[in-house]
């Protein structure tokens, strides 16, 4: 099991690297994360929902993602509540106290999934969540040491040296654990190191003396990786092109991985605009998905986005709304059942002639089809996935954005300047990305192949972790050896 001293210490990347290395060595391996809290999710071939990181790790392992790889997924809808997803399906919406009482039921689902994976694979690489040192979350823990103790799993502890304070993170985490939990940790991984390793060696020697545990690896800071982020929005991109794309960073923004292909495009300048920041000029504005559509719509209105979008359209700019953002572009968003908060209805941005009603049923599916949003792009392929609770209808749906397996999907405004869709990942297919950017005004010869970029990045992180796997094999007698 890979645990971390903090969130974003690099647990997901280390698990992905080990999965790729084991696959390369002929070991049947699967990733596993008992409990995940994230707004970035993926749809499995069976129509279940799991964390995005576990889908990436499945790619690293060369297998299809499955709901057993992330049996418990929490998708926050407010500061105190979340949608609870068990084995890929919505079980309920719970506040923190209710979920704490529910944890024994969730743990049963976790252990069932883990047991099934152990039956099918030679090795299972487990990812923890956050930090095991959160004292207030120790009771009924299913995400870190509570799980490791239940299945008698060895643990490696990862810390991010780029943040600073790496030795305090590691020693401090150990001090917060029980003796049996400290004994379970077989060594440390220091992640994202850059500089002269000779200058780090005195610290490594001190750490090993102080704790009695080995440093298994010092992993380098790798620039330019293309890997799906689990949750945190990556504000920076490698290149700053001339074509400006602006995205409001909604408080409950979901699946911001929709924009990874744009981030990687050399001719695109992608910017997320946060609360209180000035809204810059743009060629294309994209309203992203949301886990709380009405709440994020109110945030957009309070930040002055409606007036900015109207001005943007008057000057010939283009607008795309994805999933919850698509719903916001319409006339109204109604939530009569209180799916995402208090029951009620909100006035939308009024840019598309459609109304949306949030429903208890959640649509989860992978899809493929063709583009239909402009002349000359009908044969361009698109592929992605749908994750939404809501049904939209209205005159705007008579001008669909895509044709998905023979059915119309999404909407385009009469003047052709506004496009809305429930389709996540719409930029991931190279053909669709080229067509959408051309529609928005960028005529570029560059083609971004997200699958190729992802595979190359997985190979890079695997190569950097070869020494780690060799040390783990020496300690454990061979991962996957039975």
């Amino acid at each position: 099991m890979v645990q971390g001293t903090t969130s974003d210490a690099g647990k997901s990347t280390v698990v992905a690297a080990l999965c790729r290395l084991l696959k390369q060595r002929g070991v049947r391996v699967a990733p596993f994360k008992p409990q995940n809290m994230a707004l970035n999710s993926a749809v499995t071939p069976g129509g279940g929902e799991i964390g995005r990181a576990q889908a990436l790790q499945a790619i690293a392992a060369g297998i299809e993602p499955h709901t057993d790889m992330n049996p418990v997924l929490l998708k926050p809808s407010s500061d105190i509540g979340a949608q609870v997803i068990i084995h890929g399906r919505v079980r309920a919406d719970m506040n923190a106290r209710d979920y704490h009482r529910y944890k024994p039921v969730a743990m049963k689902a976790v252990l069932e999934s883990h047991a099934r994976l152990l039956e099918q694979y030679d090795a299972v690489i487990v990812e923890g969540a956050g930090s095991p040192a959160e004292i207030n979350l120790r009771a009924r823990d299913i995400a870190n040491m509570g799980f490791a103790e239940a299945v008698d799993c060895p643990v490696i502890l990862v810390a991010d040296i780029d943040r600073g304070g790496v030795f305090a993170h590691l020693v401090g985490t150990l001090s917060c654990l029980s003796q049996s939990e400290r004994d379970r940790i077989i060594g440390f991984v220091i992640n994202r190191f850059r500089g002269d390793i000779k200058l780090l060696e005195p610290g490594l020697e001190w750490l090993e003396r102080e704790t009695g545990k080995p440093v298994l690896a010092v992993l380098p800071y790798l620039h330019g990786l293309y890997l799906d982020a689990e949750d945190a929005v990556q504000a920076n991109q490698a290149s700053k092109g001339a074509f400006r794309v602006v995205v409001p960073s909604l408080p409950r923004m979901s699946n911001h991985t929709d924009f990874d292909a744009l981030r990687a495009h050399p001719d695109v300048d992608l910017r997320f605009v946060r609360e209180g920041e000035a809204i810059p000029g743009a060629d294309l504005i994209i309203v992203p998905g949301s886990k709380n559509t009405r709440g994020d719509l109110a945030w957009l209105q309070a930040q002055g986005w409606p007036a900015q979008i109207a001005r943007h359209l008057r000057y010939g700019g283009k607008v795309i709304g994805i999933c919850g953002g698509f719903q916001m572009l319409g006339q109204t968003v109604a939530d009569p059942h209180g799916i995402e908060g208090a029951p009620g209805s909100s006035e939308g941005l009024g840019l598309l002639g459609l109304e949306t009603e949030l429903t208890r049923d959640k649509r989860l599916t992978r899809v493929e089809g063709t583009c239909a949003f402009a002349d000359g792009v009908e044969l361009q392929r698109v592929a992605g996935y749908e994750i939404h609770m809501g049904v939209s209808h209205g005159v705007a749906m008579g001008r669909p954005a895509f044709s998905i397996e023979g059915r119309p999907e999404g909407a385009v405004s009469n003047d052709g300047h506004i496009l809305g869709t429930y389709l996540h990942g719409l930029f991931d297919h190279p053909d669709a990305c080229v067509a959408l950017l051309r529609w928005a005004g960028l005529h570029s010869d560059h083609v971004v192949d997200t699958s190729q970029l992802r595979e190359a990045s997985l190979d890079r992180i695997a190569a950097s972790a070869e020494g780690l796997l060799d040390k783990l094999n020496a300690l454990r007698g061979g991962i996957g050896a039975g």
Side-chain angles (χ1 to χ4, degrees):
M1 185 175 192
V2 179
Q3 297 184 13
T5 58
T6 60
S7 294
D8 199 34
K11 299 182 295 291
S12 298
T13 304
V14 171
V15 171
L18 292 174
C19 285
R20 175 51 58 95
L21 280 171
L22 288 167
K23 171 185 176 291
Q24 291 172 347
R25 298 185 184 189
V27 177
R28 296 179 306 150
V29 59
F32 181 68
K33 185 160 186 170
Q35 173 187 287
N36 199 345
M37 178 176 284
L39 288 174
N40 270 356
S41 58
V43 177
T44 68
E49 190 174 6
I50 63 173
R52 190 82 182 181
Q54 281 61 66
L56 173 70
Q57 291 157 0
I59 293 171
I63 57 178
E64 287 282 9
H66 190 278
T67 55
D68 277 340
M69 296 172 186
N70 178 206
V72 179
L73 175 62
L74 309 178
K75 301 189 75 172
S77 53
S78 69
D79 288 342
I80 60 171
Q83 186 179 78
V84 179
I85 297 166
I86 305 292
H87 289 148
R89 299 294 177 183
V90 176
R91 187 65 57 92
D93 286 276
M94 300 183 191
N95 60 36
R97 288 186 179 181
D98 287 342
Y99 179 66
H100 185 70
R101 289 190 288 266
Y102 183 79
K103 277 186 177 179
V105 179
M107 182 59 149
K108 183 174 182 290
V110 164
L111 295 176
E112 289 173 355
S113 288
H114 185 249
R116 283 194 290 263
L117 291 178
L118 288 178
E119 290 176 355
Q120 299 171 61
Y121 296 95
D122 303 321
V124 176
I125 310 297
V126 186
E127 180 185 343
S131 163
E134 306 295 347
I135 304 301
N136 56 308
L137 300 178
R138 296 288 294 281
R140 299 182 178 180
D141 170 53
I142 69 174
N144 288 299
M145 284 299 180
F147 169 80
E149 296 267 83
V151 301
D152 192 21
C153 181
V155 173
I156 60 176
L157 188 61
V158 180
D160 178 5
I161 195 170
D162 198 54
R163 294 169 178 256
V166 68
F167 300 114
H169 283 170
L170 290 165
V171 175
T173 297
L174 286 182
S175 71
C176 293
L177 303 179
S178 69
Q179 187 60 52
S180 66
E181 292 168 343
R182 286 196 292 271
D183 292 343
R184 191 166 295 284
I185 294 176
I186 61 175
F188 306 126
V189 172
I190 293 179
N191 193 31
R192 300 191 182 110
F193 175 74
R194 40 186 161 184
D196 186 346
I197 191 68
K198 290 293 183 182
L199 297 177
L200 184 62
E201 286 175 353
L204 302 181
E205 293 167 0
W206 174 90
L207 180 64
E208 292 185 339
R209 287 196 309 269
E210 185 74 16
T211 64
K213 297 183 183 295
V215 176
L216 299 172
V218 177
L219 302 180
Y221 193 110
L222 298 177
H223 296 272
L225 290 175
Y226 184 93
L227 297 172
D228 308 56
E230 186 164 61
D231 216 25
V233 176
Q234 301 174 21
N236 300 319
Q237 66 177 43
S239 62
K240 298 285 185 181
F243 189 81
R244 299 163 300 171
V245 179
V246 170
V247 181
S249 187
L250 303 176
R252 299 295 170 191
M253 177 167 55
S254 64
N255 291 74
H256 61 74
T257 47
D258 288 339
F259 309 111
D260 285 354
L262 300 182
R263 188 196 313 279
H265 200 295
D267 293 329
V268 171
D269 176 10
L270 177 69
R271 301 186 187 183
F272 289 95
V273 180
R274 302 178 188 275
E275 184 173 11
E277 292 182 351
I279 302 170
D283 299 291
L284 171 64
I285 292 175
I286 305 179
V287 185
S290 168
K291 188 60 191 70
N292 190 323
T293 303
R294 292 175 62 216
D296 281 351
L297 176 59
W299 181 90
L300 269 184
Q301 292 164 337
Q303 296 296 309
W305 277 93
Q308 176 63 25
I309 292 173
R311 182 177 184 277
H312 169 79
L313 289 168
R314 283 198 303 273
Y315 282 88
K318 298 292 181 71
V319 173
I320 295 176
I322 301 173
C323 200
F326 174 34
Q327 296 172 343
M328 295 180 202
L329 296 183
Q331 305 298 316
T332 58
V333 180
D335 187 4
H337 309 293
I339 302 298
E340 295 182 348
S345 181
S346 298
E347 183 177 341
L349 300 178
L351 299 175
L352 289 174
L354 60 90
E355 294 78 37
T356 297
E357 179 176 319
L358 302 184
T359 59
R360 291 190 174 93
D361 294 330
K362 191 170 194 176
R363 180 170 172 81
L364 294 164
T365 183
R366 291 181 173 187
V367 297
E368 291 187 6
T370 54
C371 301
F373 48 80
D375 292 338
V377 301
E378 290 84 354
L379 298 181
Q380 301 291 349
R381 288 185 57 211
V382 67
Y385 56 100
E386 294 182 43
I387 304 177
H388 61 91
M389 303 177 80
V391 177
S392 300
H393 57 87
V395 295
M397 310 295 280
R399 288 175 52 89
F402 302 99
S403 174
I404 301 298
E405 296 160 2
R407 65 175 174 85
E409 197 285 325
V412 179
S413 62
N414 288 332
D415 64 5
H417 282 237
I418 305 165
L419 184 152
T421 177
Y422 276 115
L423 189 60
H424 289 289
L426 72 165
F427 293 103
D428 288 351
H429 194 288
D431 291 349
C433 186
V434 168
L436 283 159
L437 289 175
R438 185 176 295 128
W439 167 83
L442 173 62
H443 295 269
S444 171
D445 294 329
H446 292 286
V447 176
V448 175
D449 188 328
T450 57
S451 296
Q452 187 178 70
L453 291 173
R454 187 180 292 112
E455 285 293 326
S457 293
L458 287 169
D459 287 340
R460 285 180 64 200
I461 63 171
S464 74
E466 290 245 24
L468 170 61
L469 181 57
D470 290 339
K471 285 191 176 181
L472 289 173
N473 276 327
L475 284 171
R476 302 296 299 168
I479 293 179

